[in-house]
Amino acid sequence: MKQDDFVYSGERFADLQMLRYRLNGFEDLTIQQKKLVYYLSEATLCGRDITTDQFGKYNLQIRKLMELVYLHYKGSRQTDDYKQFETYLKRLWFSNGIYHHYGCEKFLPGFDEEFLRSAIADINPELLPIREGQSVEDFCQELFPVIFNPDVLPKRVNKEDGVDLVKTSACNFYEGVSQQEVENFYARLKAQNADNPPSYGLNSKLCKEEGVLTEKVWKKDGMYGKAIERIVFWLQKAADVAENDQQKKVIQLLINYYETGDLRVFDEYSIEWLKELDGHIDFINGFIEVYGDPLGLKGSWEGLVEYKDLEATKRTQTISQNAQWFEDHSPVDSRFKKKEVKGVTANVICAAMLGGDEYPSTAIGINLPNADWIRAQYGSKSITIANITDAYNKAAHGNGFKEEFVVDERTRRMIEKYGDVCDDLHTDLHECLGHGSGQLLPGVDPDALKAYGNTIEEARADLFGLYYIADEKLVELGLVPDKKAYQSQYYTYMLNGLMTQLTRIRPGHQIEEAHMRNRALIARWVYEHSKGEVSMIRRDGKTFLLIHDYQALRGLFAQLLAEVQRIKSEGDFEAARALVERYAVKVDKELHDEVLARYAKLNIAPYKGFLNPWLKPVYDAESEMVDVEVDYSESYAEQMLRYSRDYGFLI
């Protein structure tokens, strides 16, 4: 299989394109390391149903139903209805449910209720995901409005200002409670434990039962127990082949956390995970990121297995070794700077398996843990995922995007020369230093910014990267080839924030996702405060971005970084709200229509995701694992159906 064929060997549907990622250097791992990767990968795949259920209480039932139709449909598979059904199922797989993975709005099927009723009639009722005592008709009456009615549970995560975000969000983190009740419930818990509080609410569903607020904890003998039991099984096997004692300790602590649901144990696990630096293999497994909760409290389940790219890691180690210099020279108020930066670790890694909220759509960089007090006292770990960014870069090569949207040939040549290097470096700075920089003032609640917290935090990390990518220190450290390289990142970032990320938004919709809001906030604030450094011009009926003074642009990034850090450090909710609502949410209809029309002519899918490799253990005559083969041949539908069959523990 040729490299280009490899990258493009996925398929295209709706607004999505599937890619593959290579496990470069996997064959060089020892058999012990391969076993560790395999066992951790199995633990990663076992959490899939948890994420799907978290993203909507009917998601698992709907996925099971649609898969049964796919497997047992007796009609023609060449009709428009069936093709629309197939696209719907593929989107459902991709999004871990019926809500768009990025925009969070419910996507509606292109087939009608009659088609689905007819298809259900072909299925043995005993196979249907029907509750005990429920008839097939009752089952349809319950699910059909969720599937077909745009007004029923319309949005997974709602961030609209001025409404009850809990009651208007369809995510399955709350039931029968209001936003105010949730905020009051967790405020009381925090008040009881003011010093180094655990991340209250991270691993539970908050419900009201007989008028009493109750947490259903996600643990081995609690909610999601059947899936967590299998995660623990594979983690125990992983612990037996750990590369060192610290790595084994980390895995055992994670098992303890899953068995008890105790968030103090999760904090202990996070601290010990930070200390494990010697192993070649690492992983993320658990209830981690809170973007899926409108209040930023509940962690979506995710998994990632990785091994270090030792050569590329030299770049991130250079950054982390100079973390104190970057903190000291940051343009923010000295009150908000860390006097001593601790435990900053950064690696470039190859992903070996993606799961949960990291699959099929995944991040290209991650910084953990998220608890501010742990970051301050113990530090953080950052990763940049090299084989994922490599696949993205190869898929984008020659697609006509830059020719359509970049203002002139000189700027295009600059982006071709420096773009990939600066993109990777900005990700490194964002994850390694940006998220780990700064500090809260004493007594400030880490959740003080509420629904705006995620956007402000991502803006803070992006601005840190944007400010420093233009610093001569990076030339001195050998991280960029010359003093002008940063201009490529400034241009592409501003272009994306002002214009091209609008390709991901449907007509009439506002910006919802935290990362998109962050980029819009930065680009629009800078554009509004520009005094000639940035302009938008019209040429041949098209809008283009011009940057006239790149160095002055850095000064604007510095001003905004100082303000965003102040907002974060002081917990200034009203300032966060004003900044996000003014710059990060609304969409200019005329510009949006133009960008969509220009983008449509390129025939590019705005979103991309990844098929996992299939890791297949090889055994000798004594049933001892002697190797792990990597199989890239599985199709999208084959992989999704296999995952539902082999890891469908909750449905």
Side-chain angles (χ1 to χ4, degrees):
M1 184 182 290
K2 296 179 181 179
Q3 176 71 3
D4 287 345
D5 292 340
F6 176 88
V7 171
Y8 285 104
S9 58
E11 62 182 281
R12 172 101 177 256
F13 53 92
D15 57 355
L16 303 163
Q17 182 184 6
M18 302 305 301
L19 305 175
R20 299 184 192 273
Y21 59 95
R22 280 190 184 276
L23 271 59
N24 302 310
F26 182 81
E27 65 279 1
D28 298 326
L29 300 181
T30 67
I31 182 57
Q32 180 186 355
Q33 290 170 330
K34 288 181 179 179
K35 285 181 179 179
L36 180 58
V37 169
Y38 175 73
Y39 295 144
L40 290 173
S41 294
E42 289 296 297
T44 293
L45 296 174
C46 286
R48 178 178 182 242
D49 277 6
I50 298 176
T51 307
T52 301
D53 190 72
Q54 288 179 319
F55 287 1
K57 66 180 292 185
Y58 297 101
N59 280 342
L60 285 173
Q61 282 182 292
I62 294 172
R63 190 192 75 195
K64 178 71 172 179
L65 172 62
M66 297 303 168
E67 289 174 344
L68 287 169
V69 170
Y70 183 84
L71 293 170
H72 298 281
Y73 186 68
K74 295 180 180 178
S76 170
R77 299 191 178 223
Q78 303 304 315
T79 64
D80 184 62
D81 272 341
Y82 183 81
K83 291 178 181 178
Q84 290 287 341
F85 157 76
E86 197 170 23
T87 296
Y88 181 82
L89 175 57
K90 289 177 179 178
R91 296 187 71 185
L92 190 156
W93 281 331
F94 191 96
S95 296
N96 289 295
I98 62 174
Y99 300 93
H100 194 280
H101 74 288
Y102 217 74
C104 291
E105 71 276 5
K106 182 165 71 175
F107 49 84
L108 299 174
F111 56 90
D112 58 21
E113 294 188 26
E114 184 180 348
F115 169 85
L116 187 55
R117 283 187 182 275
S118 175
I120 291 173
D122 291 335
I123 301 170
N124 182 345
E126 294 182 2
L127 299 176
L128 294 171
I130 296 176
R131 294 195 306 274
E132 185 176 350
Q134 190 179 40
S135 68
V136 174
E137 180 57 32
D138 289 342
F139 170 73
C140 292
Q141 289 292 334
E142 181 179 18
L143 285 193
F144 276 33
V146 180
I147 297 170
F148 292 102
N149 190 333
D151 299 322
V152 174
L153 303 175
K155 184 173 288 188
R156 176 166 67 89
V157 183
N158 184 32
K159 294 186 177 180
E160 183 181 348
D161 189 31
V163 301
D164 188 309
L165 301 182
V166 169
K167 290 185 176 180
T168 58
S169 295
C171 54
N172 194 21
F173 294 134
Y174 308 100
E175 192 153 348
V177 297
S178 69
Q179 178 178 344
Q180 193 62 57
E181 287 174 318
V182 174
E183 291 176 349
N184 291 344
F185 181 86
Y186 289 111
R188 285 194 295 271
L189 290 178
K190 290 175 184 177
Q192 297 168 13
N193 297 273
D195 296 328
N196 300 341
S199 301
Y200 286 116
L202 187 70
N203 66 334
S204 65
K205 179 177 180 178
L206 185 63
C207 308
K208 184 184 286 185
E209 297 177 343
E210 298 181 356
V212 178
L213 290 175
T214 305
E215 284 190 305
K216 294 184 177 180
V217 179
W218 306 325
K219 58 179 181 172
K220 187 177 177 181
D221 63 351
M223 189 174 178
Y224 300 140
K226 290 182 179 179
I228 292 174
E229 182 179 9
R230 296 305 298 169
I231 294 171
V232 167
F233 171 84
W234 289 108
L235 287 175
Q236 288 171 333
K237 295 182 77 67
D240 292 338
V241 293
E243 296 176 276
N244 55 61
D245 290 341
Q246 180 64 19
Q247 195 178 66
K248 184 172 185 175
K249 180 180 182 180
V250 168
I251 297 172
Q252 293 290 2
L253 278 169
L254 181 58
I255 291 171
N256 186 7
Y257 165 59
Y258 274 133
E259 290 178 335
T260 64
D262 187 340
L263 286 167
R264 294 286 186 187
V265 176
F266 179 68
D267 286 346
E268 185 182 357
Y269 152 77
S270 299
I271 292 166
E272 295 301 323
W273 176 75
L274 286 172
K275 297 176 183 178
E276 202 296 286
L277 303 175
D278 296 329
H280 192 54
I281 314 300
D282 206 349
F283 69 100
I284 296 167
N285 188 295
F287 307 103
I288 309 292
E289 301 294 355
V290 296
Y291 301 106
D293 176 3
L295 301 186
L297 297 171
K298 307 294 181 182
S300 300
W301 192 91
E302 67 179 64
L304 170 69
V305 186
E306 65 198 60
Y307 55 96
K308 293 175 184 174
D309 182 331
L310 296 178
E311 183 61 31
T313 290
K314 294 176 182 177
R315 179 184 79 230
T316 52
Q317 287 178 342
T318 298
I319 294 172
S320 60
Q321 289 164 2
N322 288 274
Q324 190 67 58
W325 184 93
F326 287 103
E327 183 78 1
D328 292 344
H329 291 81
S330 171
V332 307
D333 191 300
S334 60
R335 295 177 300 148
F336 311 140
K337 295 181 184 181
K338 291 178 178 173
K339 303 302 182 285
E340 182 183 358
V341 178
K342 299 178 181 179
V344 175
T345 304
N347 294 302
V348 179
I349 61 96
C350 281
M353 191 62 62
L354 308 171
D357 200 17
E358 291 293 334
Y359 169 82
S361 177
T362 184
I364 58 173
I366 297 171
N367 177 276
L368 291 173
N370 287 326
D372 284 289
W373 72 268
I374 296 179
R375 288 179 191 266
Q377 295 183 30
Y378 298 95
S380 63
K381 269 189 193 179
S382 301
I383 58 170
T384 301
I385 311 178
N387 54 344
I388 295 295
T389 56
D390 181 64
Y392 276 131
N393 291 340
K394 285 184 169 61
H397 182 71
N399 63 11
F401 180 86
K402 286 191 286 290
E403 287 74 12
E404 177 59 41
F405 287 103
V406 176
V407 66
D408 54 36
E409 181 60 29
R410 184 192 65 81
T411 308
R412 286 193 289 272
R413 286 198 303 269
M414 175 183 69
I415 295 169
E416 287 288 344
K417 182 177 181 180
Y418 300 117
D420 290 351
V421 170
C422 287
D423 282 347
D424 288 346
L425 185 56
H426 184 257
T427 300
D428 295 339
L429 292 167
H430 172 112
E431 299 295 349
C432 176
L433 300 181
H435 282 307
S437 67
Q439 63 181 1
L440 300 179
L441 293 182
V444 172
D445 182 352
D447 298 316
L449 303 185
K450 302 180 182 179
Y452 300 104
N454 289 332
T455 298
I456 291 297
E457 175 58 22
E458 291 303 324
R460 194 176 70 90
D462 259 3
L463 284 162
F464 197 96
L466 289 167
Y467 177 74
Y468 275 117
I469 202 169
D471 201 290
E472 291 187 6
K473 183 73 170 180
L474 299 191
V475 181
E476 176 190 323
L477 294 173
L479 295 171
V480 291
D482 57 53
K483 296 179 181 180
K484 292 186 177 181
Y486 78 93
Q487 296 178 6
S488 166
Q489 187 66 23
Y490 278 19
Y491 189 90
T492 55
Y493 193 96
M494 290 293 294
L495 178 65
N496 187 42
L498 290 171
M499 288 180 59
T500 54
Q501 74 169 0
L502 295 176
T503 60
R504 294 183 162 196
I505 300 173
R506 292 194 302 169
H509 285 232
Q510 294 185 335
I511 303 174
E512 298 282 351
E513 200 275 336
H515 296 80
M516 291 182 71
R517 283 188 167 190
N518 137 56
R519 292 188 288 267
L521 187 161
I522 293 171
R524 291 172 175 179
W525 186 96
V526 167
Y527 182 72
E528 182 177 294
H529 289 77
S530 166
K531 297 179 180 178
E533 297 93 341
V534 183
S535 65
M536 303 283 276
I537 64 168
R538 295 282 293 174
R539 189 176 65 205
D540 300 326
K542 298 178 180 180
T543 303
F544 292 94
L545 168 71
L546 269 177
I547 297 180
H548 306 276
D549 189 337
Y550 284 93
Q551 196 57 38
L553 201 60
R554 188 189 187 209
L556 291 170
F557 289 138
Q559 290 178 40
L560 184 56
L561 173 58
E563 172 61 6
V564 167
Q565 182 64 62
R566 183 200 67 78
I567 290 170
K568 169 88 173 180
S569 295
E570 295 181 350
D572 190 341
F573 172 80
E574 288 303 329
R577 179 183 185 180
L579 200 60
V580 173
E581 291 296 334
R582 177 169 179 175
Y583 295 104
V585 178
K586 297 178 177 61
V587 174
D588 179 275
K589 182 181 183 304
E590 186 175 344
L591 179 61
H592 191 198
D593 290 344
E594 178 198 325
V595 170
L596 289 176
R598 291 166 64 182
Y599 192 76
K601 294 178 182 178
L602 301 176
N603 194 30
I604 303 171
Y607 299 99
K608 294 174 176 63
F610 292 88
L611 293 171
N612 279 325
W614 189 351
L615 300 184
K616 297 180 176 180
V618 178
Y619 300 95
D620 63 13
E622 284 73 42
S623 299
E624 173 67 22
M625 191 187 301
V626 294
D627 200 4
V628 177
E629 293 181 350
V630 183
D631 184 343
Y632 298 110
S633 65
E634 196 171 30
S635 73
Y636 179 59
E638 288 170 343
Q639 182 159 112
M640 291 298 184
L641 290 170
R642 178 170 66 89
Y643 285 0
S644 293
R645 181 186 71 242
D646 294 349
Y647 307 101
F649 303 115
L650 301 182
I651 186 69

